[in-house]
Amino acid sequence: CRRAMYNEAGQYVYCPAIDGPGLNGKRGEVLVWKGEANADVLEKAEFEVEPVDGHSGQIRLRSVKWAGAYLYVPAIDYNGDRRQVLIWKGEPLADVRSKALFQLSLI
């Protein structure tokens, strides 16, 4: 199923066509759009929700706009307490797929 992710302030999680500094062309940034969402932002905010066999309640998210690129959390240390969420634009290797598992919880 396809979904757009946004918070209660109407800010969309999306994948712009920006590689970002130091991301070597295989990774892309995942950002939050704070302004009014236009067609371009909404197109880049659509994700395929992929259930993960053998992992109850876990999913992977793939960008619809960017040919199924996985959202994942690399082992790159951002600043000690935080890590970035990126999209992987290359072939989805086992290492990337293992870092692309997310647990959903209703709050």
Side-chain angles (χ1 to χ4, degrees), residues 71-106:
L71 270 71
Y72 81 113
V73 181
I76 300 167
D77 189 17
Y78 184 70
N79 74 351
D81 291 328
R82 298 182 284 178
R83 289 200 167 136
Q84 290 177 291
V85 175
L86 302 172
I87 59 168
W88 181 258
K89 298 188 283 183
E91 183 67 28
L93 306 171
D95 180 58
V96 170
R97 292 173 56 85
S98 73
K99 296 172 184 169
L101 294 171
F102 295 92
Q103 182 79 32
L104 291 181
S105 61
L106 299 174

Side-chain angles (χ1 to χ4, degrees), residues 16-94:
I18 301 170
D19 282 345
L23 296 183
N24 78 3
K26 294 227 177 198
R27 294 174 280 194
E29 290 188 312
V30 177
L31 302 173
V32 173
W33 182 262
K34 297 188 321 183
E36 185 164 336
N38 56 40
D40 182 57
V41 169
L42 292 174
E43 176 184 48
K44 294 171 184 167
E46 193 172 352
F47 298 93
E48 185 77 31
V49 178
E50 178 182 290
V52 180
D53 291 338
H55 295 273
S56 180
Q58 291 190 339
I59 61 163
R60 290 188 179 100
L61 297 170
R62 298 178 76 150
S63 169
V64 173
K65 170 68 178 172
W66 305 115
Y70 280 104
L71 270 71
Y72 81 113
V73 181
I76 300 167
D77 189 17
Y78 184 70
N79 74 351
D81 291 328
R82 298 182 284 178
R83 289 200 167 136
Q84 290 177 291
V85 175
L86 302 172
I87 59 168
W88 181 258
K89 298 188 283 183
E91 183 67 28
L93 306 171

